[in-house]
Short mmCIF file of all heavy atoms in Angstrom, two decimals:
data_model
loop_
_atom_site.label_atom_id
_atom_site.label_comp_id
_atom_site.label_asym_id
_atom_site.label_seq_id
_atom_site.Cartn_x
_atom_site.Cartn_y
_atom_site.Cartn_z
N ALA N 33 144.40 128.96 154.05
CA ALA N 33 145.75 129.41 154.42
C ALA N 33 145.78 130.93 154.30
O ALA N 33 145.95 131.47 153.20
CB ALA N 33 146.81 128.76 153.52
N ILE N 34 145.63 131.64 155.41
CA ILE N 34 145.47 133.09 155.37
C ILE N 34 146.00 133.68 156.67
O ILE N 34 146.11 132.97 157.68
CB ILE N 34 143.97 133.46 155.17
CG1 ILE N 34 143.78 134.93 154.78
CG2 ILE N 34 143.16 133.08 156.38
CD1 ILE N 34 144.24 135.26 153.37
N GLY N 35 146.37 134.96 156.65
CA GLY N 35 146.69 135.67 157.88
C GLY N 35 147.97 136.46 157.90
O GLY N 35 148.08 137.44 158.65
N ILE N 36 148.97 136.09 157.09
CA ILE N 36 150.25 136.77 157.21
C ILE N 36 150.16 138.25 156.85
O ILE N 36 150.84 139.10 157.45
CB ILE N 36 151.34 136.06 156.35
CG1 ILE N 36 152.74 136.62 156.68
CG2 ILE N 36 151.03 136.18 154.87
CD1 ILE N 36 153.18 136.38 158.10
N ASN N 37 149.28 138.61 155.91
CA ASN N 37 149.15 140.03 155.54
C ASN N 37 148.52 140.85 156.65
O ASN N 37 148.76 142.06 156.74
CB ASN N 37 148.36 140.17 154.25
CG ASN N 37 149.12 139.70 153.04
OD1 ASN N 37 150.33 139.88 152.95
ND2 ASN N 37 148.44 139.06 152.11
N ASN N 38 147.71 140.23 157.50
CA ASN N 38 147.18 140.96 158.65
C ASN N 38 148.31 141.40 159.57
O ASN N 38 148.26 142.49 160.15
CB ASN N 38 146.21 140.07 159.44
CG ASN N 38 144.94 139.78 158.69
OD1 ASN N 38 144.94 138.99 157.74
ND2 ASN N 38 143.84 140.40 159.10
N LEU N 39 149.34 140.57 159.69
CA LEU N 39 150.47 140.88 160.56
C LEU N 39 151.41 141.89 159.93
O LEU N 39 151.77 142.90 160.55
CB LEU N 39 151.25 139.61 160.89
CG LEU N 39 150.55 138.53 161.70
CD1 LEU N 39 151.48 137.34 161.88
CD2 LEU N 39 150.09 139.05 163.05
N VAL N 40 151.85 141.62 158.70
CA VAL N 40 152.96 142.40 158.12
C VAL N 40 152.50 143.65 157.39
O VAL N 40 153.30 144.56 157.18
CB VAL N 40 153.83 141.53 157.19
CG1 VAL N 40 154.42 140.36 157.94
CG2 VAL N 40 153.04 141.05 155.98
N VAL N 41 151.22 143.72 157.02
CA VAL N 41 150.69 144.89 156.32
C VAL N 41 149.59 145.57 157.13
O VAL N 41 149.56 146.79 157.26
CB VAL N 41 150.15 144.51 154.92
CG1 VAL N 41 149.59 145.74 154.21
CG2 VAL N 41 151.24 143.87 154.07
N GLY N 42 148.70 144.76 157.68
CA GLY N 42 147.52 145.31 158.35
C GLY N 42 147.75 145.82 159.75
O GLY N 42 146.92 146.56 160.28
N GLY N 43 148.87 145.43 160.37
CA GLY N 43 149.14 145.90 161.71
C GLY N 43 148.29 145.25 162.79
O GLY N 43 148.22 145.74 163.92
N ASP N 44 147.63 144.13 162.48
CA ASP N 44 146.82 143.43 163.47
C ASP N 44 147.72 142.66 164.43
O ASP N 44 148.82 142.24 164.08
CB ASP N 44 145.87 142.44 162.80
CG ASP N 44 144.80 143.14 161.95
OD1 ASP N 44 144.59 144.35 162.17
OD2 ASP N 44 144.20 142.48 161.10
N SER N 45 147.22 142.46 165.64
CA SER N 45 147.96 141.64 166.60
C SER N 45 147.81 140.17 166.23
O SER N 45 146.96 139.79 165.41
CB SER N 45 147.42 141.86 168.01
OG SER N 45 146.11 141.30 168.14
N ALA N 46 148.62 139.33 166.86
CA ALA N 46 148.52 137.89 166.61
C ALA N 46 147.15 137.37 167.00
O ALA N 46 146.54 136.58 166.27
CB ALA N 46 149.61 137.15 167.37
N ASP N 47 146.63 137.82 168.14
CA ASP N 47 145.33 137.34 168.59
C ASP N 47 144.20 137.81 167.67
O ASP N 47 143.27 137.04 167.38
CB ASP N 47 145.06 137.77 170.03
CG ASP N 47 145.86 136.96 171.03
OD1 ASP N 47 147.11 137.05 171.03
OD2 ASP N 47 145.25 136.21 171.80
N GLU N 48 144.28 139.04 167.20
CA GLU N 48 143.28 139.54 166.25
C GLU N 48 143.33 138.75 164.94
O GLU N 48 142.30 138.39 164.37
CB GLU N 48 143.52 141.02 165.97
CG GLU N 48 143.18 141.93 167.12
CD GLU N 48 143.69 143.35 166.93
OE1 GLU N 48 144.65 143.55 166.15
OE2 GLU N 48 143.16 144.26 167.59
N THR N 49 144.54 138.47 164.49
CA THR N 49 144.70 137.69 163.26
C THR N 49 144.15 136.29 163.43
O THR N 49 143.46 135.77 162.54
CB THR N 49 146.19 137.64 162.87
OG1 THR N 49 146.68 138.98 162.66
CG2 THR N 49 146.39 136.83 161.59
N ALA N 50 144.42 135.68 164.57
CA ALA N 50 143.91 134.33 164.82
C ALA N 50 142.39 134.31 164.80
O ALA N 50 141.78 133.39 164.24
CB ALA N 50 144.43 133.82 166.16
N GLU N 51 141.76 135.32 165.38
CA GLU N 51 140.30 135.37 165.36
C GLU N 51 139.77 135.53 163.95
O GLU N 51 138.72 134.97 163.60
CB GLU N 51 139.80 136.49 166.27
CG GLU N 51 139.92 136.17 167.75
CD GLU N 51 139.26 134.85 168.13
OE1 GLU N 51 138.06 134.67 167.83
OE2 GLU N 51 139.95 133.99 168.70
N GLY N 52 140.49 136.28 163.12
CA GLY N 52 140.09 136.39 161.71
C GLY N 52 140.20 135.06 160.99
O GLY N 52 139.34 134.71 160.18
N ILE N 53 141.26 134.30 161.28
CA ILE N 53 141.43 132.97 160.68
C ILE N 53 140.31 132.05 161.11
O ILE N 53 139.76 131.27 160.31
CB ILE N 53 142.81 132.39 161.05
CG1 ILE N 53 143.93 133.25 160.45
CG2 ILE N 53 142.93 130.95 160.57
CD1 ILE N 53 145.31 132.91 160.97
N VAL N 54 139.94 132.11 162.38
CA VAL N 54 138.82 131.30 162.88
C VAL N 54 137.54 131.66 162.15
O VAL N 54 136.78 130.77 161.74
CB VAL N 54 138.66 131.50 164.40
CG1 VAL N 54 137.34 130.89 164.88
CG2 VAL N 54 139.83 130.89 165.15
N ALA N 55 137.30 132.95 161.96
CA ALA N 55 136.08 133.38 161.27
C ALA N 55 136.04 132.84 159.83
O ALA N 55 134.99 132.39 159.36
CB ALA N 55 135.99 134.90 161.26
N VAL N 56 137.17 132.88 159.15
CA VAL N 56 137.24 132.35 157.78
C VAL N 56 136.96 130.85 157.78
O VAL N 56 136.22 130.33 156.94
CB VAL N 56 138.61 132.64 157.15
CG1 VAL N 56 138.78 131.89 155.83
CG2 VAL N 56 138.79 134.14 156.92
N THR N 57 137.56 130.14 158.73
CA THR N 57 137.39 128.68 158.80
C THR N 57 135.94 128.32 159.07
O THR N 57 135.39 127.40 158.43
CB THR N 57 138.30 128.10 159.89
OG1 THR N 57 139.65 128.50 159.63
CG2 THR N 57 138.22 126.59 159.92
N GLU N 58 135.31 129.01 159.99
CA GLU N 58 133.91 128.73 160.30
C GLU N 58 133.00 129.04 159.12
O GLU N 58 132.04 128.32 158.85
CB GLU N 58 133.49 129.50 161.55
CG GLU N 58 134.19 128.99 162.81
CD GLU N 58 133.87 129.80 164.05
OE1 GLU N 58 133.38 130.94 163.90
OE2 GLU N 58 134.11 129.29 165.16
N GLU N 59 133.32 130.11 158.39
CA GLU N 59 132.53 130.43 157.19
C GLU N 59 132.75 129.38 156.11
O GLU N 59 131.82 129.01 155.39
CB GLU N 59 132.89 131.82 156.68
CG GLU N 59 132.00 132.32 155.55
CD GLU N 59 130.56 132.53 155.98
OE1 GLU N 59 130.30 132.79 157.18
OE2 GLU N 59 129.67 132.45 155.10
N ALA N 60 133.98 128.88 155.99
CA ALA N 60 134.25 127.83 155.01
C ALA N 60 133.42 126.59 155.32
O ALA N 60 132.93 125.92 154.41
CB ALA N 60 135.74 127.50 154.99
N CYS N 61 133.27 126.28 156.59
CA CYS N 61 132.43 125.14 156.97
C CYS N 61 130.99 125.33 156.51
O CYS N 61 130.33 124.38 156.07
CB CYS N 61 132.46 124.94 158.48
SG CYS N 61 134.04 124.33 159.13
N ARG N 62 130.51 126.56 156.59
CA ARG N 62 129.13 126.85 156.14
C ARG N 62 129.02 126.83 154.62
O ARG N 62 128.04 126.31 154.06
CB ARG N 62 128.66 128.19 156.69
CG ARG N 62 128.40 128.19 158.19
CD ARG N 62 127.77 129.49 158.65
NE ARG N 62 128.75 130.57 158.70
CZ ARG N 62 129.47 130.88 159.78
NH1 ARG N 62 129.35 130.18 160.89
NH2 ARG N 62 130.32 131.89 159.75
#
């Protein structure tokens, strides 16, 4: 459960944040 700080603090776009969430999820699988 991650990502809100990318939006409200980090200034990332929604699509950039989503890709970061995907990266975390894929790493968690590994």
Side-chain angles (χ1 to χ4, degrees):
I34 194 71
I36 190 63
N37 289 323
N38 292 73
L39 295 178
V40 300
V41 179
D44 293 341
S45 70
D47 285 66
E48 289 168 337
T49 300
E51 286 306 306
I53 295 169
V54 169
V56 170
T57 305
E58 292 176 342
E59 188 65 27
C61 290
R62 289 187 285 269

